[in-house]
Amino acid sequence: MNRSHSPSAIVEQVDEAAPSSPTSNKPSKQLNPALILLSIVFMALAFTYFVDSGQFERKDIAVIPGSYQTLEKDSGLSQLFSVEPRTANAEAARPVSLTEAFMAIPQGIEKRAGLIFMVLFIGGMFGVLNKAGAIDAGLERVLGLTKGNIYVLVPCLMLVFSAGSTFMGLAKEFILIVPLMVAMANRLGLPNIIGLAIVAISVKVGYLGSITNPVALAVAQPLVGVPMFSGLDMRVASYFTFLVVGIAFVLLSIRRHGFDSTAQFDFKQSRLHPRHAANLMLLALGVAFLVYASNRWHWKYPELSAYYLALSMVFAVVAGIGASEAAGAFVDGMKKVLMAGVLIGLATAVEIILSTGQVLDTIVNHLSELVGEHGPLVSAFGMFFAQLGLDVLIPSTSGQAAVTMPIFGPLGQLSGVTPQTTVYAFLLGNGLTNLITPTSSGLLVLLATAQVGWGQWARFIWPLLLAFTAIALALLSIAVLIGY
């Protein structure tokens, strides 16, 4: 087996060998995710005309319950073509014009520039590693040692990845892992989406459980007056329940895609070339140090981007790749994830339009009516479904907690829902929608890195989303009944 083959070359060989296979990639039949997001941008624009504008008063980032006020607004269609600059602190609200809607797209790219460049640099770094042949050689070694038994590899990998999310709130750190999992799937004759699922489902399971996830719990629990990280029992039960179902789903998907178990013993187990071994060791140490630095020094996107760039240079030196060749490989790697920048900008444009038209707080206020005083079980379900819907508009976990917890906490107590169950409903609703919402920059980055379209992912993940929803409702019912 030639170790100089890149994972992308392997994908092309698989597609050429089986053009009629249902697992072959057929980009021509997939709806471009940019078009999906662009349609959501215009839906957000329409919201600013047909939904009342209003706002809550806020203390720091948390809304003040009962402070919602409707704002006066001229929703005439003449506003659609307005070019008049929007004045800050205007007494009357105004819907978003076409000009502002289009401007929101480059503004979204500018707002998320740090994230976009980080993703591009990650793509470049793996371009260098692929050029060095380290990933291909490492995968051959791992698959050889395990005899290619993916039924052993998948559960172990998903347990490790989900543990990082549920205990430490890791998410963006796993972008590094996606190309490795995609390459592993390709090596076993499986499509990119299987490699993506191993990572994406693990991360989402971790957030659904959120045993000690600081990203979610550090905001949500204090806002409803419960100690941070309290109420472990139900979250531990959730984590293991969702993890078992998630692993089973991935393994069943592997069988459905026609994984040939007789081919799993064809991998060599020869020793790694010293340059390959050194680069793979550096990659493992680099990921470990990244997790430490992100938590210890709170690295943001600029620091992370610089880190990936520095790692790329080290990988090139260790592999003995010339400067020009390494630069070319870095640029080629960036090209593969370039679409991610556009998608992130479009997703952020939705948030900008809703904020500019001042309709987001109105939507939150109306959804709070689902909770009302309907008894604890109905109110808890109302919170869950409200969080499901809001996650499309507020894909940030901490941002959604800051908006909803101060409102749903008091409403839940009036209906007999404990504060801990209110947080639990938030975790379940937020985690579920993040599996599929097209406005989540985190999901879009994973899709772009794996080169999987949103439509393809939505069709793949839909059965699991339905199963997870049924499990979530059952667990939420138990939480209400036991007074969690």
Side-chain angles (χ1 to χ4, degrees):
M1 186 177 292
N2 189 346
R3 292 183 182 175
S4 65
H5 289 173
S6 68
S8 58
I10 296 172
V11 176
E12 292 170 0
Q13 292 170 3
V14 171
D15 288 345
E16 290 171 1
S20 62
S21 169
T23 62
S24 300
N25 291 330
K26 298 180 180 180
S28 60
K29 293 187 178 182
Q30 295 178 8
L31 184 61
N32 193 300
L35 294 178
I36 297 172
L37 277 171
L38 190 61
S39 66
I40 296 176
V41 167
F42 286 109
M43 285 175 59
L45 171 65
F47 271 28
T48 66
Y49 285 85
F50 299 112
V51 177
D52 290 337
S53 291
Q55 62 183 11
F56 288 103
E57 294 179 19
R58 283 172 166 79
K59 183 178 180 181
D60 297 326
I61 62 171
V63 303
I64 299 175
S67 65
Y68 174 79
Q69 291 183 337
T70 302
L71 300 175
E72 181 183 349
K73 178 170 69 173
D74 177 9
S75 298
L77 290 180
S78 59
Q79 298 290 337
L80 188 63
F81 305 101
S82 173
V83 293
E84 180 183 348
R86 188 177 293 267
T87 57
N89 301 320
E91 293 184 1
R94 196 179 84 188
V96 174
S97 66
L98 271 175
T99 301
E100 290 174 319
F102 281 108
M103 284 294 295
I105 297 172
Q107 287 170 358
I109 294 175
E110 181 181 3
K111 184 175 180 179
R112 296 285 184 257
L115 172 60
I116 292 169
F117 277 101
M118 185 194 76
V119 172
L120 291 175
F121 280 20
I122 289 173
M125 184 186 73
F126 275 97
V128 174
L129 278 174
N130 285 333
K131 185 70 175 178
I135 293 177
D136 208 30
L139 288 172
E140 181 175 318
R141 177 64 173 161
V142 169
L143 293 170
L145 290 172
T146 61
K147 302 186 185 301
N149 191 339
I150 202 164
Y151 299 107
V152 173
L153 281 174
V154 167
C156 293
L157 290 170
M158 292 185 70
L159 177 63
V160 172
F161 298 156
S162 63
S165 292
T166 202
F167 290 112
M168 302 173 62
L170 302 183
K172 63 181 182 291
E173 291 81 3
F174 288 121
I175 299 171
L176 282 170
I177 306 298
V178 172
L180 300 175
M181 295 299 101
V182 168
M184 183 189 77
N186 294 160
R187 244 333 154 80
L188 294 169
L190 294 165
N192 290 18
I193 201 166
I194 296 296
L196 170 64
I198 293 171
V199 180
I201 293 174
S202 300
V203 172
K204 302 311 177 186
V205 162
Y207 269 73
L208 278 165
S210 287
I211 295 176
T212 59
N213 177 3
V215 175
L217 299 178
V219 177
Q221 288 189 315
L223 287 177
V224 296
V226 297
M228 196 184 306
F229 305 133
S230 60
L232 281 174
D233 48 357
M234 283 300 299
R235 297 201 302 276
V236 170
S238 296
Y239 168 68
F240 284 108
T241 302
F242 286 119
L243 179 61
V244 169
V245 175
I247 290 173
F249 176 79
V250 174
L251 294 178
L252 287 172
S253 298
I254 289 171
R255 290 181 64 87
R256 188 176 68 248
H257 280 285
F259 175 66
D260 184 4
S261 60
T262 62
Q264 47 187 320
F265 300 100
D266 296 337
F267 299 97
K268 300 176 183 178
Q269 299 190 46
S270 57
R271 296 179 63 86
L272 285 172
H273 188 282
R275 288 186 184 271
H276 292 156
N279 261 335
L280 291 171
M281 182 65 70
L282 283 171
L283 177 61
L285 292 174
V287 172
F289 183 75
L290 169 67
V291 173
Y292 171 79
S294 297
N295 287 275
R296 177 67 175 81
W297 298 306
H298 307 290
W299 277 3
K300 303 299 181 184
Y301 295 131
E303 292 87 351
L304 292 169
S305 298
Y307 181 69
Y308 297 135
L309 180 60
L311 277 180
S312 302
M313 297 172 68
V314 173
F315 291 147
V317 171
V318 171
I321 302 175
S324 296
E325 194 176 8
F330 190 86
V331 172
D332 288 341
M334 291 175 70
K335 289 177 181 177
K336 292 181 179 180
V337 295
L338 189 59
M339 175 60 77
V342 178
L343 298 179
I344 293 168
L346 286 168
T348 309
V350 175
E351 173 191 335
I352 292 174
I353 289 171
L354 293 174
S355 298
T356 302
Q358 295 179 283
V359 300
L360 191 55
D361 283 0
T362 302
I363 295 170
V364 173
N365 186 59
H366 285 319
L367 285 175
S368 69
E369 296 174 1
L370 285 173
V371 180
E373 297 183 41
H374 307 298
L377 188 60
V378 174
S379 294
F381 282 6
M383 291 179 191
F384 171 76
F385 286 110
Q387 299 288 3
L388 282 178
L390 281 172
D391 195 61
V392 178
L393 307 178
I394 315 173
S396 165
T397 297
S398 56
Q400 190 173 339
V403 171
T404 59
M405 288 299 95
I407 299 171
F408 288 176
L411 286 174
Q413 288 184 314
L414 290 174
S415 302
V417 179
T418 65
Q420 203 71 262
T421 301
T422 299
V423 173
Y424 192 50
F426 156 70
L427 293 173
L428 294 174
N430 172 263
L432 273 178
T433 319
N434 265 326
L435 271 170
I436 199 169
T437 178
T439 58
S440 169
S441 59
L443 177 62
L444 294 176
V445 167
L446 293 176
L447 292 174
T449 306
Q451 299 181 45
V452 172
W454 182 84
Q456 181 186 1
W457 174 254
R459 291 190 297 272
F460 173 82
I461 204 67
W462 188 249
L464 181 64
L465 185 65
L466 292 177
F468 274 4
T469 301
I471 294 169
L473 290 173
L475 290 170
L476 191 55
S477 300
I478 294 171
V480 172
L481 292 173
I482 66 175
Y484 168 66

